[in-house]
């Protein structure tokens, strides 16, 4: 089939009935549930972009194997040009959603592409696993599917490993093998956008210990698989709030969910890894599923930071406070943050490495540096927005106020900004800012930036340890050699 349209994506959603729970109720119709409606439209818009002549050449290509047009997210990059092609898809999808939707379809499509293109690693443990991930890649590529993923165990007792938890199946694990497949039981989190996706892929971060064999798993399933239960967090908006009053929160809420597997059958051809602690611990480093998706996340993070920076700059300008040195200093800092991330992304592409199988991997160090910096830079951008907007963030009237002719004169007079900025423009701008820096929606997208790909503290520690292993401290060593106590003191 190749690239889907938005209508085809929605049609597929309507044809399924996954077990989704929201605020104590089983959702009857995903498409008609207000909290999912706008995000579904946003995702459909991305699918439609693939058919739009304005974007098509930039974000899709013809698949060598099938002759069908497919997303660049499914391209196995072999060169700098291929990395650029992938970046264009990431960038256009991120721009269309202002970087606020982290798990657009390109993200997991890149994960599966990378797992499949490096599946020789799995072949060594079990040739069936490698074969399965390669055919799964073709399945999602040729049907242009949208995936969620659940890679974290529920947050119960983090001081204990999976097999040491109070119940053997609190964390998702294999119960038994059957002729048809594996029976799995337990929970995984945090499946962002799960209710509106086609399928879920389950795998894990490294960290398995001996005894954790049954939890060392990787597989994929359609979301409406019997026994798979999706428990959503509380919705942040009910679909009743005005899209004018909450321009971002009303459109871009990505629902997060815990997935509970109640003795779910995973057919053997959907099992990519099982009962092998060593393979599970090596899955990330050996299949490039940290680096390739980090390219997508870096591009998306850049767009989100740029958007927050621009909103902060515009609110400062709209009320004339960017005339002050302190405000210029704060905004200059944000612009420099954006430029730093932009530069790091470019370096990761220029300095890509080519693996033994010929795959172009964006460079590790700059991508990990982005991963370390964004959890600080994005919250800082939000803090600057709060400081600059100050009380003005809390004075915005509503859409309904603007609609009432009795209030109109007061609104136009008392809510206007500096000369040339109308009340409506100023209020509109502050509403964008409030969604980002005040609403629960804004807090969630901030929390996302901290944690979406693991704990930034442990990730930075891993980065340092890798750096220590792979690099000598040659300048420091050289200085110690030259400035030795025993060396002669030279004078000019
Ligand atoms: C908005 C959002 C969306 C997400 N979307 C997804 C998704 O789509 N799919 C998915 O699979 N996951 C998703 N995640 C989950 C994300 O991967 C995790 O939040 C992240 O890996 C951190 O794990 P945790 O939340 O369990 O925190 P924990 O690991 O429980 O950490 C809690 C705190 O304890 C500290 N800590 C815990 N263990 C240790 C340790 N061993 N050593 C040192 N310090 C420790 C941490 O530093 C942290 O401060 C999402 C998270 C968020 C916030």
């Amino acid at each position: 089939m190749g690239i889907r349209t938005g209508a085809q994506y929605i049609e597929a959603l309507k044809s399924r009935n996954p077990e989704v729970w929201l605020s104590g109720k089983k959702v009857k119709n995903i498409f008609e549930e207000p909290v999912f409606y706008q995000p579904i439209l946003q995702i459909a818009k991305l699918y439609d972009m693939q058919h739009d002549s304005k974007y098509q050449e930039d974000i899709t290509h013809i698949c060598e194997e099938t002759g069908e047009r497919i997303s660049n997210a499914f391209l196995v990059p072999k060169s700098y040009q291929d990395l650029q092609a992938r970046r264009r898809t990431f960038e256009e999808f991120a721009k269309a959603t202002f970087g606020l939707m982290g798990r657009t379809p390109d993200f997991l499509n890149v994960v599966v592409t990378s797992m499949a293109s490096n599946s020789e690693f799995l072949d060594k443990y079990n040739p069936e696993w490698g074969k399965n991930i390669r055919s799964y890649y073709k399945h999602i590529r040729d049907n242009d599917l949208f995936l969620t993923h659940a890679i974290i165990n529920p947050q119960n007792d983090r001081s204990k490993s999976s097999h040491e938890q109070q119940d053997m199946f609190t964390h998702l694990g294999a119960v038994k093998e059957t002729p048809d497949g594996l029976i799995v039981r337990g929970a995984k989190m945090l499946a962002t956008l799960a209710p509106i996706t086609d399928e879920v892929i389950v795998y894990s971060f490294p960290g398995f210990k001996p005894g954790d064999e049954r939890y060392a798993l990787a597989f994929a399933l359609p979301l409406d698989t019997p026994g798979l239960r999706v428990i959503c967090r509380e919705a942040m908006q009910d679909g009743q709030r005005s899209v004018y009053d909450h321009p971002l929160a009303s459109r871009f809420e990505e629902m997060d969910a815990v997935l509970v597997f109640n003795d779910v059958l995973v057919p053997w051809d959907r099992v990519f890894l099982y009962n092998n602690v060593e393979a599970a611990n090596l899955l990330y480093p050996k299949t490039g599923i940290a680096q390739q998706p980090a390219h997508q996340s870096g591009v998306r993070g850049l767009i989100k930071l740029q958007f927050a920076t621009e909103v902060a700059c515009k609110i400062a300008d709209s009320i004339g406070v960017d005339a002050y040195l302190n405000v210029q200093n704060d905004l200059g800092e944000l612009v420099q943050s954006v430029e730093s991330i932009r530069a790091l992304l470019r370096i990761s592409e220029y300095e890509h490495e080519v693996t033994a199988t010929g795959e172009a991997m964006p460079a590790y160090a700059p991508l990990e540096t982005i991963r370390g910096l964004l959890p600080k830079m994005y919250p800082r951008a939000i803090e600057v927005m709060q400081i600059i907007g100050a009380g003005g963030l809390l004075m915005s009237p509503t859409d309904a106020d603007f609609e009432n002719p009795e209030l109109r004169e007061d609104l136009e007079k008392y809510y206007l900004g500096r000369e040339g900025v109308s009340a409506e423009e100023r209020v509109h701008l502050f509403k964008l800012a409030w969604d980002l820096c005040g609403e629960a929606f804004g807090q969630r997208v901030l929390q996302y930036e901290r944690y979406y790909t693991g704990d930034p503290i442990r990730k930075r520690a891993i980065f340092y340890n890798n750096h220590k292993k792979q690099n000598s401290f040659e300048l420091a060593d050289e200085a110690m050699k030259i400035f030795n106590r025993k060396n002669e003191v030279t004078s000019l």
Side-chain angles (χ1 to χ4, degrees):
M1 179 173 90
I3 47 173
R4 279 198 294 187
T5 60
Q8 285 169 323
Y9 156 66
I10 290 173
E11 210 178 295
L13 270 188
K14 285 181 176 169
S15 72
R16 281 193 309 269
N17 192 15
E19 189 188 328
V20 176
W21 289 81
L22 179 68
S23 296
K25 293 199 183 93
K26 213 191 264 187
V27 176
K28 287 203 182 82
N29 186 328
I30 296 288
F31 189 66
E32 283 172 12
E33 189 63 44
V35 68
F36 302 136
Y37 182 70
Q38 281 288 341
I40 288 172
L41 296 188
Q42 296 303 324
I43 299 293
K45 189 171 80 180
L46 302 181
Y47 278 110
D48 280 340
M49 281 168 67
Q50 302 188 123
H51 294 263
D52 184 338
S53 58
K54 186 172 165 206
Y55 303 103
Q56 191 173 73
E57 279 305 312
D58 275 343
I59 67 176
T60 66
H61 67 284
I62 302 296
C63 175
E64 275 180 25
E65 193 184 336
T66 63
E68 298 279 1
R69 188 169 282 282
I70 58 171
S71 162
N72 289 349
F74 294 117
L75 178 71
V76 179
K78 302 280 184 197
S79 62
Y80 174 71
Q81 284 69 27
D82 286 349
L83 287 175
Q84 293 292 297
R86 286 248 277 223
R87 167 201 257 268
R88 288 195 295 274
T89 303
F90 304 155
E91 207 165 77
E92 293 302 345
F93 275 19
K95 279 186 192 162
T97 49
F98 302 93
L100 298 172
M101 293 185 98
R103 305 300 194 201
T104 47
D106 50 331
F107 176 73
L108 277 154
N109 293 346
V110 167
V111 171
V112 175
T113 303
S114 190
M115 242 189 234
S117 64
N118 294 285
S119 54
E120 273 177 17
F121 156 73
L122 293 169
D123 287 334
K124 282 183 203 145
Y125 291 95
N126 184 336
E128 288 300 309
W129 298 348
K131 192 176 101 199
N132 293 346
I133 189 68
R134 287 189 289 274
S135 53
Y136 187 63
Y137 159 70
K138 288 180 188 176
H139 170 66
I140 65 163
R141 177 193 70 188
D142 299 342
N143 293 289
D144 205 9
L145 295 186
F146 178 21
L147 270 53
T148 185
H149 71 326
I151 60 177
I152 303 294
N153 293 314
Q155 199 184 44
N156 309 114
D157 186 345
R158 287 284 187 251
S159 69
K160 294 193 164 84
S161 63
S162 291
H163 74 280
E164 295 166 339
Q165 299 292 319
Q166 289 180 42
D167 184 295
M168 195 195 285
F169 293 107
T170 307
H171 293 180
L172 179 71
V175 180
K176 62 176 178 184
E177 296 179 11
T178 72
D180 296 331
L182 208 54
I183 303 292
V184 297
R185 188 187 302 162
K188 275 277 185 192
M189 71 181 217
L190 186 65
T192 293
L193 281 177
I196 68 168
T197 55
D198 300 298
E199 301 222 352
V200 56
I201 182 164
V202 172
Y203 51 99
S204 296
F205 280 138
F208 290 98
K209 304 214 171 93
D212 283 338
E213 285 72 15
R214 71 170 70 245
Y215 311 98
L217 278 173
F219 62 84
L221 288 171
L223 213 70
D224 58 352
T225 300
L228 172 53
R229 176 174 274 187
V230 180
I231 305 180
C232 299
R233 62 160 167 74
E234 185 183 9
M236 286 162 184
Q237 56 98 19
D238 54 9
Q240 308 301 316
R241 298 167 93 189
S242 146
V243 286
Y244 171 78
D245 288 332
H246 297 285
L248 306 174
S250 63
R251 290 179 171 90
F252 299 113
E253 179 173 348
E254 289 188 303
M255 177 53 74
D256 307 289
V258 170
L259 303 186
V260 176
F261 295 77
N262 289 313
D263 287 355
V264 171
L265 172 73
V266 184
W268 285 118
D269 64 355
R270 286 300 190 88
V271 174
F272 313 133
L273 193 158
Y274 157 57
N275 195 26
N276 192 313
V277 163
E278 182 188 285
N281 282 339
L282 288 173
L283 186 70
Y284 261 85
K286 295 288 184 191
T287 61
I289 57 169
Q291 251 155 290
Q292 294 290 17
H295 188 205
Q296 189 271 359
S297 309
V299 175
R300 190 224 22 97
L302 168 66
I303 302 293
K304 182 169 165 180
L305 186 65
Q306 183 183 340
F307 178 53
T309 298
E310 288 182 10
V311 171
C313 291
K314 279 190 74 85
I315 60 171
D317 171 69
S318 74
I319 52 172
V321 296
D322 65 352
Y324 300 114
L325 182 67
N326 55 319
V327 175
Q328 292 163 1
N329 179 53
D330 283 349
L331 293 174
E333 178 193 334
L334 300 195
V335 175
Q336 287 176 355
S337 294
V338 172
E339 290 309 311
S340 305
I341 301 297
R342 195 192 309 283
L344 284 163
L345 268 171
R346 292 287 179 211
I347 294 171
S348 80
E349 291 161 359
Y350 284 129
E351 296 188 353
H352 67 273
E353 31 171 339
V354 179
T355 65
T357 58
E359 181 168 335
M361 285 278 176
Y364 165 79
L367 287 184
E368 277 304 305
T369 305
I370 292 176
R371 180 61 199 127
L373 291 177
L374 268 178
K376 296 177 179 198
M377 287 173 170
Y378 187 76
R380 173 71 182 137
I382 296 308
E383 184 188 38
V384 168
M385 200 181 288
Q386 288 166 340
I387 290 167
I388 292 175
L393 290 163
L394 286 312
M395 68 180 267
S396 298
T398 63
D399 191 12
D401 292 318
F402 272 108
E403 288 297 314
N404 191 329
E406 256 186 79
L407 286 173
R408 193 81 204 186
E409 205 177 315
D410 277 353
L411 297 185
E412 278 168 9
K413 181 172 174 189
Y414 298 115
Y415 289 76
L416 86 177
R418 63 150 172 79
E419 203 176 337
V421 178
S422 70
E424 207 154 331
E425 190 185 342
R426 186 191 156 286
V427 169
H428 199 174
L429 197 49
F430 272 69
K431 283 181 182 295
L432 277 181
W434 184 244
D435 269 4
L436 284 176
C437 74
E439 280 284 312
F441 168 82
Q443 297 310 309
R444 188 238 166 232
V445 293
L446 187 151
Q447 189 72 341
Y448 182 88
E449 226 41 61
R450 284 202 181 107
Y451 285 113
Y452 71 90
T453 184
D455 173 15
I457 294 172
R458 275 172 283 166
K459 290 208 77 154
R460 208 173 296 116
I462 293 169
F463 176 76
Y464 170 72
N465 290 330
N466 284 339
H467 178 82
K468 192 175 170 184
K469 255 187 243 154
Q470 288 158 12
N471 297 275
S472 59
F473 298 109
E474 59 186 50
L475 284 179
D477 289 341
E478 180 70 7
M480 284 171 73
K481 205 163 74 194
I482 299 172
F483 308 130
N484 193 301
R485 192 157 51 88
K486 289 178 194 139
N487 277 0
E488 253 179 70
V489 177
T490 50
S491 57
L492 288 175

